[in-house]
Amino acid sequence: MSKATGCCRGFLHYVFDYETPKTLVIPHFGVGIIFRFTQLLVVLYVVGYVCVVQKGYQDTDSVISTVTTKVKGFAFTNTSDMEPRMWDVADYVLPPQGDNSFFILTNLVVTPEQTQSHCPELPKPSTVCADDCDCVEGYNDPRGNGIRTGLCENFSTTVKTCEVFSWCPLEVDTKLPKKPVLAAAENFTVLIKNSITYPKFNFHGRNILPHINSSYLAHCEFNRLTDPDCPIFRLKRIMAEAEEDFQEMAVKGGILGILIDWSCDLDWWAGKCLPKYSFRRLDNKNPGNDVAPGYNFRYAKFYKRADGTEERTLIKAYGIRFEVIVFGTAGKFGIVPAIVNLGAALSFLSLVPIVADWVMLTCMKKRDLYTKQKVTYLVESPDSEPVAMGTTYGTQ
């Protein structure tokens, strides 16, 4: 019975005894150094990293952006494959307006005077035949050029292939010029108009800055050192900033990114919010893997002959697609994040005594004395003054 009573009393003490912190002064230089040094580390973290680097006192918002582009330039070509020709924006910018991007034609394979008729397929293992039995009428090879007629025809004096109904003559896209047809495209310029907003802060901005007027815009050209605010870029300079060679990339095409960073500090003391430009190639450029390199697509120009026959000129266009990528985050002082990070800082500071206590109670020579003085159990006697089990002050 007494044992059960003791257990019950112990349980009640465990549940209902009240614990309160007490101040124990330890005049020990080593413990004091550890305590203050740990406090200093916490303060440096909160002030240096949370406030200065991460700006933890700020509310943030992501940028919303719109981009339009306008390319200008002329090029003259005079090659053995085509007649002398002057190229302007309507010829080499395809399509005229892109979704945050624009394409510059630099090289091409032209197949003129195509009509819908019958012609032998280009020779490859699946199209070479010996007689009509090797060609299934109506068969449509997704990687071929048309629908087979069931006939085996002479492609050349030595090779026979299955005949197809298609746009004839068929395109031979292996005859790509080794040098870009529009090599002069490196001197074209592009005007990039970019408008952004941070809706949470009701902030709006443009890359055409307030001090830019029409006369300035008519003569300026982006230069990172001498004219970093101009929104007009020469393609050759863009490629140089991306550490790419325009003439090399123009042969088979590629994709290049124009990156506009609108990361801003919108607090009144932080200064202006200005765009920062950078450039890099986005498609894969691996000399060890030359499968399907560059960037190309096909389009056609259609005509009507005098006899009413439909005719087209097929163009396989190679070129450089410029992707304008706008990104950024804005920050501005907010009372909620400031209070949250202040609370986090105070909670970190509350952990400092735990570190000092651990060092004191586990690593110091007089840890048994410190342990004894650290916890005091107060025993109250009804006929006398309260008696403390232990003292309230420890000495070295």
Side-chain angles (χ1 to χ4, degrees):
M1 183 68 179
S2 59
K3 185 177 180 180
T5 303
C7 292
C8 182
R9 184 175 300 173
F11 175 76
L12 292 175
H13 276 297
Y14 177 78
V15 174
F16 295 107
D17 280 0
Y18 171 67
E19 297 178 358
T20 181
K22 82 171 182 177
T23 301
L24 179 65
V25 179
I26 307 294
H28 193 288
F29 184 77
V31 176
I33 286 291
I34 293 173
F35 179 69
R36 297 305 179 190
F37 180 71
T38 309
Q39 279 186 325
L40 178 62
L41 290 180
V42 171
V43 170
L44 290 177
Y45 167 76
V46 172
V47 175
Y49 181 75
V50 176
C51 293
V52 177
V53 178
Q54 295 293 323
K55 300 185 188 299
Y57 56 86
Q58 289 185 333
D59 198 1
T60 59
D61 193 15
S62 298
V63 70
I64 297 176
S65 168
T66 181
V67 173
T68 59
T69 60
K70 183 182 294 184
V71 181
K72 288 188 177 181
F74 299 91
F76 178 76
T77 59
N78 186 10
T79 65
S80 58
D81 298 332
M82 62 181 68
E83 297 179 355
R85 179 173 179 176
M86 176 67 71
W87 299 75
D88 63 12
V89 176
D91 297 312
Y92 59 73
V93 177
L94 306 167
Q97 289 294 326
D99 184 13
N100 292 344
S101 66
F102 60 96
F103 174 82
I104 302 295
L105 177 69
T106 57
N107 210 359
L108 67 162
V109 175
V110 180
T111 308
E113 299 179 354
Q114 285 187 320
T115 59
Q116 292 199 5
S117 55
H118 299 87
C119 53
E121 259 282 19
L122 300 177
K124 54 184 179 180
S126 62
T127 61
V128 175
C129 59
D131 53 43
D132 294 347
C133 296
D134 297 327
C135 303
V136 179
E137 183 178 1
Y139 176 69
N140 179 12
D141 183 0
R143 298 187 179 183
N145 291 284
I147 300 174
R148 293 184 183 181
T149 62
L151 301 178
C152 183
E153 299 291 339
N154 291 322
F155 179 83
S156 64
T157 56
T158 59
V159 178
K160 298 180 71 176
T161 60
C162 294
E163 184 186 69
V164 293
F165 176 69
S166 182
W167 287 95
C168 302
L170 299 179
E171 176 193 64
V172 181
D173 60 359
T174 56
K175 298 180 180 180
L176 179 68
K178 300 300 182 182
K179 294 184 178 181
V181 174
L182 271 74
E186 66 179 9
N187 291 315
F188 296 168
T189 61
V190 56
L191 167 64
I192 299 177
K193 295 187 288 184
N194 174 215
S195 298
I196 63 101
T197 181
Y198 287 107
K200 183 182 290 187
F201 307 127
N202 195 28
F203 177 84
H204 305 271
R206 298 179 68 201
N207 68 326
I208 301 179
L209 304 180
H211 70 272
I212 295 178
N213 54 35
S214 298
S215 58
Y216 169 82
L217 208 59
H219 300 92
C220 78
E221 182 180 313
F222 175 84
N223 185 298
R224 193 172 297 280
L225 298 177
T226 61
D227 203 350
D229 296 336
C230 182
I232 297 177
F233 303 82
R234 191 171 295 275
L235 302 188
K236 184 177 182 179
R237 181 174 293 279
I238 292 177
M239 301 296 290
E241 290 264 355
E243 299 181 351
E244 296 288 340
D245 181 80
F246 185 93
Q247 298 300 325
E248 178 184 345
M249 190 173 178
V251 175
K252 293 186 177 181
I255 303 174
L256 194 131
I258 301 174
L259 286 73
I260 308 179
D261 182 6
W262 279 95
S263 297
C264 299
D265 186 344
L266 300 182
D267 289 323
W268 61 269
W269 59 80
K272 297 180 179 179
C273 180
L274 302 174
K276 293 176 282 292
Y277 300 99
S278 59
F279 313 90
R280 63 178 301 172
R281 185 167 183 171
L282 301 180
D283 63 321
N284 182 40
K285 181 187 177 183
N286 184 1
N289 183 7
D290 197 32
V291 179
Y295 181 77
N296 64 79
F297 59 90
R298 292 175 175 85
Y299 70 98
K301 296 182 178 180
F302 294 87
Y303 310 93
K304 280 282 189 181
R305 292 179 177 176
D307 60 0
T309 304
E310 186 179 31
E311 176 186 313
R312 78 175 188 182
T313 296
L314 178 65
I315 299 172
K316 185 175 184 179
Y318 294 80
I320 303 172
R321 192 177 83 190
F322 293 86
E323 294 280 351
V324 184
I325 303 172
V326 183
F327 62 98
T329 301
K332 192 174 184 179
F333 177 82
I335 189 64
V336 173
I339 292 176
V340 169
N341 282 282
L342 179 60
L346 294 176
S347 66
F348 278 124
L349 286 174
S350 68
L351 297 176
V352 174
I354 298 177
V355 176
D357 283 352
W358 180 84
V359 173
M360 178 183 68
L361 300 177
T362 58
C363 302
M364 307 303 294
K365 291 181 179 180
K366 296 184 178 181
R367 54 183 176 270
D368 293 335
L369 174 62
Y370 298 151
T371 302
K372 181 179 179 181
Q373 301 300 324
K374 178 68 177 171
V375 179
T376 300
Y377 192 84
L378 187 64
V379 179
E380 294 188 6
S381 175
D383 300 326
S384 62
E385 294 294 328
V387 178
M389 302 298 292
T391 60
T392 59
Y393 183 77
T395 59
Q396 185 175 358

